Amino acid sequence: MEWWEPVVVFLAGMALRFAIPLGLTILAVWWLRRLDARWQAEAKQQRVRILNADEIARYPRCWETRHCPPERMAACPAYAQPDVACWQVFRSASGRLKEDCLDCAVFHNAPAPHLA
């Protein structure tokens, strides 16, 4: 037996020992990223739709319920967007509602949202 044959066998064994698990790991990461991207796209499509303007118009506005003075209404972002539910305006980037909205009668009496 030549000296290089055991070296080749050893290197092939090491390559198999490390290449196969590494390759499977890379394949799993690739597949999971594609799956996550698909789920993200589906979630974007199925987000709860915001109530339309006709549905919102049937319910009292928070500034009416709280009897806000005109100067406070002028500075209120919800008052500036009357076609959007007030709690949607105050929703944070992470999707959380303000504590004031959770305790508000307008939020509690609003209809349940529909899936888009």
Side-chain angles (χ1 to χ4, degrees):
M1 193 150 73
E2 301 262 345
W3 68 270
W4 56 271
E5 287 177 357
V7 172
V8 170
V9 169
F10 175 76
L11 291 177
M14 292 304 286
L16 286 174
R17 172 79 169 108
F18 292 109
I20 289 175
L22 187 60
L24 289 174
T25 302
I26 290 170
L27 183 66
V29 167
W30 172 79
W31 180 74
L32 288 171
R33 284 189 177 169
R34 287 199 51 192
L35 185 63
D36 182 52
R38 189 177 100 204
W39 285 347
Q40 296 260 348
E42 287 175 2
K44 214 175 221 184
Q45 290 174 351
Q46 293 181 353
R47 288 245 163 100
V48 174
R49 74 172 175 82
I50 296 174
L51 299 174
N52 66 36
D54 294 335
E55 291 171 318
I56 293 171
R58 292 191 303 233
Y59 295 94
R61 307 280 200 257
C62 64
W63 56 87
E64 294 168 352
T65 305
R66 293 177 177 218
H67 307 291
C68 293
E71 60 275 357
R72 186 167 178 197
M73 285 191 300
C76 179
Y79 185 74
Q81 299 179 41
D83 56 335
V84 178
C86 56
W87 62 90
Q88 295 292 352
V89 174
F90 293 115
R91 189 179 292 272
S92 70
S94 66
R96 292 185 158 292
L97 290 176
K98 289 174 52 176
E99 283 294 321
D100 293 345
C101 294
L102 293 174
D103 297 332
C104 182
V106 175
F107 176 71
H108 285 283
N109 295 329
H114 310 284
L115 287 179

Short mmCIF file of all heavy atoms in Angstrom, two decimals, residues 61-76 78-79 90:
data_model
loop_
_atom_site.label_atom_id
_atom_site.label_comp_id
_atom_site.label_asym_id
_atom_site.label_seq_id
_atom_site.Cartn_x
_atom_site.Cartn_y
_atom_site.Cartn_z
N ARG A 61 -66.58 58.59 18.12
CA ARG A 61 -65.14 58.81 18.11
C ARG A 61 -64.65 58.97 19.54
O ARG A 61 -65.39 59.37 20.44
CB ARG A 61 -64.80 60.08 17.32
CG ARG A 61 -65.39 60.13 15.94
CD ARG A 61 -64.54 59.28 15.02
NE ARG A 61 -64.77 59.65 13.63
CZ ARG A 61 -65.51 58.94 12.81
NH1 ARG A 61 -66.10 57.87 13.25
NH2 ARG A 61 -65.65 59.30 11.56
N CYS A 62 -63.38 58.68 19.77
CA CYS A 62 -62.85 58.76 21.13
C CYS A 62 -62.87 60.20 21.64
O CYS A 62 -63.11 60.43 22.82
CB CYS A 62 -61.45 58.17 21.21
SG CYS A 62 -60.19 59.01 20.26
N TRP A 63 -62.65 61.17 20.76
CA TRP A 63 -62.66 62.57 21.22
C TRP A 63 -64.06 63.02 21.59
O TRP A 63 -64.21 63.90 22.42
CB TRP A 63 -62.04 63.50 20.17
CG TRP A 63 -62.65 63.44 18.83
CD1 TRP A 63 -63.73 64.14 18.39
CD2 TRP A 63 -62.23 62.64 17.74
NE1 TRP A 63 -64.01 63.82 17.08
CE2 TRP A 63 -63.10 62.90 16.66
CE3 TRP A 63 -61.20 61.72 17.55
CZ2 TRP A 63 -62.98 62.29 15.42
CZ3 TRP A 63 -61.09 61.12 16.32
CH2 TRP A 63 -61.97 61.39 15.28
N GLU A 64 -65.08 62.38 21.01
CA GLU A 64 -66.46 62.68 21.40
C GLU A 64 -66.77 62.05 22.76
O GLU A 64 -67.41 62.66 23.61
CB GLU A 64 -67.43 62.15 20.36
CG GLU A 64 -67.32 62.83 19.01
CD GLU A 64 -68.10 62.09 17.93
OE1 GLU A 64 -68.59 60.96 18.18
OE2 GLU A 64 -68.19 62.63 16.82
N THR A 65 -66.32 60.83 22.96
CA THR A 65 -66.57 60.12 24.20
C THR A 65 -65.84 60.77 25.37
O THR A 65 -66.38 60.86 26.47
CB THR A 65 -66.10 58.66 24.06
OG1 THR A 65 -66.74 58.09 22.93
CG2 THR A 65 -66.44 57.84 25.28
N ARG A 66 -64.64 61.23 25.11
CA ARG A 66 -63.83 61.84 26.18
C ARG A 66 -64.07 63.34 26.32
O ARG A 66 -63.48 63.97 27.17
CB ARG A 66 -62.35 61.59 25.91
CG ARG A 66 -61.99 60.13 26.02
CD ARG A 66 -60.55 59.92 25.68
NE ARG A 66 -60.23 58.52 25.88
CZ ARG A 66 -59.10 58.09 26.37
NH1 ARG A 66 -58.17 58.94 26.72
NH2 ARG A 66 -58.88 56.81 26.51
N HIS A 67 -64.91 63.88 25.45
CA HIS A 67 -65.24 65.31 25.48
C HIS A 67 -63.97 66.18 25.45
O HIS A 67 -63.77 67.04 26.30
CB HIS A 67 -66.10 65.66 26.70
CG HIS A 67 -67.31 64.79 26.81
ND1 HIS A 67 -68.36 64.86 25.92
CD2 HIS A 67 -67.62 63.79 27.70
CE1 HIS A 67 -69.27 63.96 26.26
NE2 HIS A 67 -68.85 63.30 27.32
N CYS A 68 -63.14 65.92 24.47
CA CYS A 68 -61.88 66.66 24.35
C CYS A 68 -62.14 68.10 23.93
O CYS A 68 -63.00 68.36 23.08
CB CYS A 68 -60.97 66.01 23.32
SG CYS A 68 -60.38 64.39 23.81
N PRO A 69 -61.39 69.04 24.47
CA PRO A 69 -61.53 70.42 24.04
C PRO A 69 -60.96 70.59 22.63
O PRO A 69 -60.14 69.78 22.18
CB PRO A 69 -60.70 71.20 25.07
CG PRO A 69 -59.79 70.21 25.68
CD PRO A 69 -60.45 68.88 25.57
N PRO A 70 -61.38 71.63 21.89
CA PRO A 70 -60.95 71.81 20.50
C PRO A 70 -59.43 71.86 20.32
O PRO A 70 -58.91 71.34 19.35
CB PRO A 70 -61.59 73.14 20.09
CG PRO A 70 -62.74 73.31 21.03
CD PRO A 70 -62.37 72.62 22.30
N GLU A 71 -58.72 72.48 21.26
CA GLU A 71 -57.26 72.57 21.10
C GLU A 71 -56.59 71.19 21.23
O GLU A 71 -55.60 70.90 20.56
CB GLU A 71 -56.63 73.56 22.08
CG GLU A 71 -56.84 73.28 23.55
CD GLU A 71 -58.15 73.82 24.10
OE1 GLU A 71 -58.91 74.49 23.37
OE2 GLU A 71 -58.42 73.55 25.28
N ARG A 72 -57.16 70.32 22.05
CA ARG A 72 -56.61 68.97 22.17
C ARG A 72 -56.96 68.15 20.92
O ARG A 72 -56.14 67.36 20.45
CB ARG A 72 -57.16 68.29 23.42
CG ARG A 72 -56.52 66.95 23.66
CD ARG A 72 -56.82 66.41 25.02
NE ARG A 72 -56.21 65.10 25.16
CZ ARG A 72 -56.53 64.24 26.08
NH1 ARG A 72 -57.45 64.53 26.97
NH2 ARG A 72 -55.94 63.08 26.14
N MET A 73 -58.18 68.35 20.38
CA MET A 73 -58.55 67.64 19.16
C MET A 73 -57.66 68.05 18.00
O MET A 73 -57.28 67.22 17.17
CB MET A 73 -60.02 67.91 18.81
CG MET A 73 -60.98 67.16 19.69
SD MET A 73 -62.67 67.20 19.11
CE MET A 73 -63.05 68.93 19.10
N ALA A 74 -57.31 69.31 17.91
CA ALA A 74 -56.47 69.80 16.80
C ALA A 74 -55.10 69.14 16.84
O ALA A 74 -54.49 68.91 15.78
CB ALA A 74 -56.34 71.31 16.88
N ALA A 75 -54.60 68.82 18.02
CA ALA A 75 -53.28 68.20 18.15
C ALA A 75 -53.34 66.68 18.12
O ALA A 75 -52.30 66.01 18.12
CB ALA A 75 -52.62 68.67 19.45
N CYS A 76 -54.53 66.11 18.06
CA CYS A 76 -54.70 64.66 18.16
C CYS A 76 -54.50 64.00 16.78
O CYS A 76 -55.17 64.36 15.81
CB CYS A 76 -56.09 64.34 18.69
SG CYS A 76 -56.42 62.57 18.82
N ALA A 78 -55.47 61.05 15.89
CA ALA A 78 -56.69 60.31 15.53
C ALA A 78 -57.73 61.26 14.94
O ALA A 78 -58.46 60.89 14.03
CB ALA A 78 -57.25 59.59 16.75
N TYR A 79 -57.79 62.47 15.44
CA TYR A 79 -58.73 63.46 14.92
C TYR A 79 -58.35 63.86 13.50
O TYR A 79 -59.22 64.12 12.67
CB TYR A 79 -58.75 64.69 15.84
CG TYR A 79 -59.78 65.72 15.45
CD1 TYR A 79 -61.12 65.49 15.70
CD2 TYR A 79 -59.40 66.91 14.84
CE1 TYR A 79 -62.08 66.43 15.35
CE2 TYR A 79 -60.35 67.85 14.48
CZ TYR A 79 -61.68 67.61 14.74
OH TYR A 79 -62.62 68.54 14.39
N PHE A 90 -53.07 55.00 17.13
CA PHE A 90 -52.16 55.00 18.27
C PHE A 90 -51.41 53.69 18.45
O PHE A 90 -50.62 53.55 19.38
CB PHE A 90 -52.93 55.34 19.56
CG PHE A 90 -53.45 56.73 19.57
CD1 PHE A 90 -54.81 56.97 19.57
CD2 PHE A 90 -52.59 57.81 19.55
CE1 PHE A 90 -55.30 58.26 19.59
CE2 PHE A 90 -53.07 59.10 19.56
CZ PHE A 90 -54.43 59.33 19.58
#
